[in-house]
Amino acid sequence: MPKNLEFSVLLDFYGALLTPKQFQVMELYYNEDYSLAEIAQTMGITRQGVHDAEKKSEKLLLQYEEKLGLCSRFRRVKADLEELRSSVVRLQEGQEKQEIIERIDNVLEEV
């Protein structure tokens, strides 16, 4: 089964909220691509212990995102900034200035 890279991103945002053990399990599993058995050997715990820690950590990361929404907000702001960049390019090409200014104002209100 392929690993869900979304958890790697969530780990970047919320990893500090996990216990050191949970963080280490997630870091090794998602960012270093260790197998559960390799993590168990590295950390000196059972494979089942690694599996349990990984599943609990996944659940916590999803809960943090649901409550705080930092990752989704980051993605929205990034998309808005990319759109603003293209608007500036259009502005430099002489397109309608008022439309671009209104879009910038809308993005700034969301932040």
Side-chain angles (χ1 to χ4, degrees), residues 3-63:
K3 295 178 182 175
N4 184 342
L5 295 180
E6 180 69 15
F7 286 110
S8 182
V9 174
L10 291 175
L11 189 61
D12 289 341
F13 279 90
Y14 305 112
L17 300 175
L18 299 174
T19 67
K21 179 181 173 182
Q22 290 170 330
F23 181 81
Q24 185 179 9
V25 166
M26 296 297 281
E27 177 73 18
L28 292 173
Y29 188 70
Y30 284 103
N31 293 340
E32 302 298 326
D33 202 28
Y34 279 38
S35 69
L36 296 180
E38 290 171 324
I39 297 169
Q41 183 177 14
T42 299
M43 295 181 68
I45 58 178
T46 66
R47 186 185 178 286
Q48 184 62 44
V50 172
H51 180 267
D52 293 345
E54 185 250 333
K55 290 302 175 190
K56 182 177 181 179
S57 300
E58 285 180 354
K59 184 177 178 180
L60 286 171
L61 291 174
L62 291 172
Q63 288 174 347

Side-chain angles (χ1 to χ4, degrees), residues 76-87:
R76 281 193 313 273
V77 169
K78 184 178 177 185
D80 287 342
L81 288 172
E82 289 171 358
E83 186 176 331
L84 288 174
R85 183 186 180 286
S86 68
S87 295

